[in-house]
Amino acid sequence: MTAGKRLRGATVLAAAAVVAVSGCSTKAPESGGGGGGGGGGGGEGEVTTDVGIEGTTIRLGVLTDLTGVFAALGTDITNGNTLYWQDNQVCDTYDVELDVQDTNYVPQTGVQLYSGMEPNILAMQQTIGSPINTALAPEYESDSIVNFPSAWARTLTEIPGTGVLGATYDVELANGYQYLFDQGLLQDGDTVGHIYFEGEYGENGLAGSEAVAEARNLTVVPAQIKSADQDMSAQITQFASEGVDAIVLTVAPAQTASAAAVAQAQGLDVPILGSNPVFAPGLLQGPSAQWLKDHLYVSSPITSWDSQPELLQEYQAAYPNTTPSLGAVFGYAMGDVMKQVLDSACEEGDLTREGVLAAFGELSDVDTGGLLVPINGFETGVSPSTQSIILRPADVPGGAEVVQEAFEGELAADLAGGE
Amino acid sequence: MTQFLSLLLNGISLGAIYALIALGFVIIFKASEVVSFTHGSLLLLGAYTIARLSDTLGFFPAVLVGVLVTAVAAFLVERFIINRLRGAPVISLAIVTIGVDIILLTELIRQIGPDILNVPHPWGGDSVRIGGVGISENRLIAMGVAGVLIIAFFVAFKYSSWGVAMRASAEDGEAAALMGIRQGRVSALAWVVAGVLAAVAALFLVGAPTPGVSAAAYTVALRAFPAAILGGLDSTGGALVGGLLIGITEALAAGYQEQLSFLGRGFGEVAPYVVMIIVLLVRPSGLFGTKELTRV
């Protein structure tokens, strides 16, 4: 039995228990009047609601990118979201309807689309892109919106109600380094070259490298690039001349392909460690496929399709002619965490925005049945998880297999922050 | 030293590709006095067509079709838009090309979708080592092909009747028209040639060490812009020199990023534009551009 199946079984049971214990009513009267945080009459079998619930239908917002630079990722995550809510109900009562809008990865468009959907949604199932999340942060805060981004930058953990699902990039890379050390692929005092995007994603990844460098006496050769850069020749050449013992990437798949191609051309036979967004299954159709299989290690909060065969089957039936990517697994897992938040709010008898936000804040030890690394909880400024999964490219569905299940590296707890 | 040579070789190979694109800009500018911003999407169109058709047609037929499709697209843009707006202010024409570019680009991005499309170059990701310096075969072949094409272009420009007609129209449009040179035809042919050059540049740009066809390939065409400008927008020789200069500058600035870190990280990106500005400050018409003379 797979985690996905087990998970669904467990959530159905849990939801049934919730209904039995709290008497979560099938009628969901509109109580009107926003706010009214916390309390509510779980015991009386009444669930207080305000915005985004009509009858037994909950509406959640999705601000994704279906036509912009992250269209690939956006489509997959949204497919995952949709598939999840086809299979599941909140509180065994409420169906969930997604209001999917395409931002084209333009913050201004995102803000406009949000103000259009805001009066009709309870929470945000997905907001893609750090710039859009950052642009909407003040509105999410004033509207008491619970939101899940598909990014892991530390700055996102500062937004109240926004749940980063996994370790932040610095913690993620520190765990990746740990794996390299444990496998004897990297030693104390070695030199690593780190190619990173300008902006929050790259900077946060580099912070991970610098923290590890300090603890393990590594020398880091940083190379900053823009997301539009396609040719990593100069950077890898520089690394080769510095004699690096590993290459670290906080980039997108296109740059991973280029870095591998150049490293191969220059005979730079060292491991490549990547943040989770560096990988896409399409990399295995390129000329550097074999080199990547031999050299790439990806530190990720998301498991591979390889370990979720039944979910994969379901996904492929629902979306034939698509390449299953980690994004789709993530989309499915996002749905699961949202369900846990909404179920617990329903259990408290308060499905108002305030109620949902309160439930979100109290969520701890989130288990998604192995789809994601265990999440400790959502505390402002703290990495929600200290664990990562190590993936390697392989000829399996989704293109990656798990070589190390979720684990916590030596530096993770310190880097994560909090108590 | 190896690092320097390696960066230099990479810069030259990249510069050769830039030169092809920049040459396209220049030819169009000379023939129709339009600064064409459609080049990025034309380039992507070429790359996309080649990638999509390679599986069914095989590599070389796909390249032929890709070059043809790009040339036809450039031709259509000239015939149906630029030609009909003849006489409109130069700025309007430039803005129109931006519009065309955005429309074409949006559709291409939609078509490319989630994938990085790989072009199955017969030489794949193989590389050769010259001394201690490694370079991908793709880039090496690119240099050769770019060299041949550029020489062929210069010969045609100098000796063919089209070349003469174009030089004449660029020199003095009215006089050329009075001499019976059909400027519409000259301009259309210029766009076709620019389309072909863009498609050939695209073929090599999406090969090793770059990852394949993705929307980002588009931005490379924009880097060829400073190349064309600093060479002198109306100088074909300038496009060649400008392309190489920008390619080498970019490679060296990115490769010596550590040593240049006092200028801030990511200087490789900025360097081509810095070079362009410096050149223009010293020579406002670019290295080889014609000086505008105004007699008072």
Side-chain angles (χ1 to χ4, degrees):
Chain A
M1 193 154 88
T2 66
K5 187 90 171 181
R6 223 170 22 238
L7 171 74
R8 279 195 296 284
T11 40
V12 168
L13 263 179
V18 166
V19 174
V21 172
S22 70
C24 191
S25 164
T26 48
K27 66 177 189 320
E30 297 272 338
S31 70
E44 290 91 47
E46 297 264 313
V47 177
T48 318
T49 63
D50 54 6
V51 189
I53 303 186
E54 253 178 67
T56 55
T57 305
I58 295 177
R59 273 177 89 81
L60 298 177
V62 169
L63 281 180
T64 190
D65 179 4
L66 301 175
T67 48
V69 280
F70 288 105
L73 185 68
T75 309
D76 289 345
I77 293 179
T78 307
N79 287 349
N81 290 163
T82 309
L83 189 66
Y84 184 83
W85 288 116
Q86 276 169 10
D87 292 348
N88 292 282
Q89 279 187 318
V90 172
C91 230
D92 229 8
T93 304
Y94 298 92
D95 289 316
V96 168
E97 210 177 271
L98 297 176
D99 184 355
V100 180
Q101 301 287 347
D102 176 15
T103 62
N104 197 18
Y105 206 69
V106 177
Q108 187 54 38
T109 313
V111 172
Q112 278 164 7
L113 290 171
Y114 172 72
S115 62
M117 65 164 64
E118 188 275 328
N120 304 313
I121 55 148
L122 176 59
M124 292 296 295
Q125 175 64 79
Q126 175 203 148
T127 307
I128 276 203
S130 292
I132 298 179
N133 275 284
T134 311
L136 282 166
E139 309 206 32
Y140 285 170
E141 193 173 352
S142 67
D143 295 337
S144 306
I145 291 284
V146 167
N147 163 49
F148 295 108
S150 69
W152 291 263
R154 178 67 69 126
T155 42
L156 293 173
T157 63
E158 307 278 351
I159 307 171
T162 289
V164 171
L165 298 177
T168 48
Y169 295 120
D170 47 350
V171 177
E172 175 179 280
L173 271 189
N175 287 336
Y177 275 105
Q178 183 75 55
Y179 182 80
L180 295 188
F181 283 126
D182 291 349
Q183 299 296 311
L185 295 163
L186 197 63
Q187 319 293 337
D188 286 7
D190 277 354
T191 301
V192 297
H194 192 158
I195 305 181
Y196 65 101
F197 278 174
E198 62 176 7
E200 287 164 19
Y201 166 45
E203 301 285 349
N204 196 204
L206 185 67
S209 269
E210 283 167 347
V212 175
E214 200 181 319
R216 305 294 294 255
N217 195 27
L218 300 178
T219 306
V220 180
V221 183
Q224 182 186 300
I225 59 165
K226 281 192 164 51
S227 56
D229 284 348
Q230 297 280 287
D231 181 358
M232 297 299 108
S233 300
Q235 290 79 6
I236 299 293
T237 304
Q238 181 197 0
F239 291 170
S241 76
E242 306 260 358
V244 299
D245 302 290
I247 297 168
V248 182
L249 301 175
T250 307
V251 293
Q255 289 77 20
T256 309
S258 179
V262 184
Q264 185 176 9
Q266 306 206 347
L268 187 58
D269 194 6
V270 298
I272 303 176
L273 169 65
S275 307
N276 81 78
V278 307
F279 184 74
L283 287 176
L284 296 184
Q285 279 137 37
S288 311
Q290 192 53 49
W291 182 268
L292 283 167
K293 282 184 213 162
D294 294 339
H295 293 83
L296 181 65
Y297 300 82
V298 179
S299 187
S300 165
I302 312 161
T303 193
S304 69
W305 279 107
D306 192 37
S307 58
Q308 303 287 334
E310 290 191 23
L311 183 56
L312 174 66
Q313 219 170 18
E314 195 187 342
Y315 185 81
Q316 283 179 323
Y319 302 101
N321 309 321
T322 55
T323 315
S325 71
L326 292 182
V329 180
F330 183 64
Y332 197 86
M334 280 168 123
D336 188 57
V337 180
M338 181 59 97
K339 177 173 157 61
Q340 296 189 33
V341 173
L342 296 180
D343 277 345
S344 111
C346 174
E347 195 177 339
E348 293 293 327
D350 187 358
L351 270 176
T352 63
R353 282 187 181 167
E354 290 292 342
V356 173
L357 188 60
F360 170 83
E362 275 157 30
L363 213 60
S364 63
D365 300 324
V366 183
D367 177 11
T368 52
L371 293 173
L372 299 178
V373 292
I375 291 163
N376 305 328
F378 303 107
E379 205 181 317
T380 308
V382 178
S383 174
S385 175
T386 50
Q387 301 192 29
S388 303
I389 295 165
I390 304 295
L391 304 173
R392 298 206 62 186
D395 291 320
V396 293
E401 64 183 0
V402 174
V403 293
Q404 167 70 56
E405 295 290 351
F407 77 111
E408 179 181 315
E410 286 166 15
L411 291 173
D414 273 354
L415 263 180
E419 321 107 64
Chain B
M1 195 59 191
T2 313
Q3 184 190 7
F4 176 75
L5 289 177
S6 183
L7 289 172
L8 190 66
L9 189 58
N10 259 302
I12 294 173
S13 68
L14 192 61
I17 300 177
Y18 285 166
L20 284 179
I21 308 170
L23 201 52
F25 282 136
V26 170
I27 299 169
I28 288 179
F29 182 76
K30 279 179 91 82
S32 48
E33 297 216 333
V34 178
V35 181
S36 165
F37 288 93
T38 46
H39 244 65
S41 51
L42 285 178
L43 186 131
L44 197 57
L45 174 68
Y48 172 76
T49 314
I50 295 169
R52 269 281 182 258
L53 297 179
S54 284
D55 279 347
T56 40
L57 298 181
F59 176 73
F60 288 104
V63 170
L64 271 183
V65 177
V67 169
L68 204 66
V69 165
T70 316
V72 169
F75 175 75
L76 294 178
V77 171
E78 200 281 336
R79 277 296 90 176
F80 288 104
I81 301 167
I82 303 301
N83 192 38
R84 292 181 182 223
L85 295 175
R86 183 165 297 175
V90 178
I91 289 288
S92 315
L93 288 175
I95 304 286
V96 165
T97 63
I98 293 179
V100 173
D101 183 59
I102 290 174
I103 293 168
L104 189 54
L105 180 67
T106 309
E107 177 57 20
L108 282 170
I109 288 176
R110 202 170 66 91
Q111 294 291 335
I112 291 170
D115 306 319
I116 297 174
L117 298 173
N118 285 291
V119 176
H121 296 99
W123 46 90
D126 296 347
S127 58
V128 280
R129 295 191 78 81
I130 307 166
V133 180
I135 186 168
S136 69
E137 284 183 11
N138 179 55
R139 281 289 172 79
L140 211 56
I141 296 170
M143 277 199 280
V145 171
V148 169
L149 276 180
I150 290 169
I151 291 170
F153 170 80
F154 279 116
V155 170
F157 196 60
K158 188 122 204 213
Y159 300 109
S160 77
S161 55
W162 168 73
V164 175
M166 193 167 123
R167 280 185 292 146
S169 329
E171 200 67 41
D172 186 339
E174 258 171 52
L178 287 172
M179 298 303 288
I181 290 174
R182 295 170 65 178
Q183 287 188 311
R185 192 176 285 182
V186 170
S187 163
L189 196 55
W191 278 77
V192 167
V193 171
V196 169
L197 293 179
V200 173
L203 170 67
F204 294 108
L205 261 182
V206 298
T210 34
V213 183
S214 68
Y218 164 84
T219 53
V220 176
L222 299 183
R223 299 245 182 95
F225 236 106
I229 302 275
L230 82 80
L233 198 48
D234 62 351
S235 161
T236 42
L240 178 61
V241 175
L244 290 175
L245 200 57
I246 292 292
I248 294 168
T249 309
E250 196 182 312
L252 291 179
Y256 289 112
Q257 189 173 134
E258 193 65 14
Q259 288 80 355
L260 294 170
S261 59
F262 63 93
L263 291 168
R265 300 245 167 254
F267 186 67
E269 290 305 312
V270 190
Y273 297 92
V274 173
V275 171
M276 177 184 80
I277 291 170
I278 293 172
V279 168
L280 290 186
L281 282 176
V282 180
R283 297 182 66 96
S285 311
L287 288 175
F288 302 97
T290 322
K291 277 201 186 118
E292 286 244 357
L293 292 177
T294 319
R295 292 222 168 85
V296 189

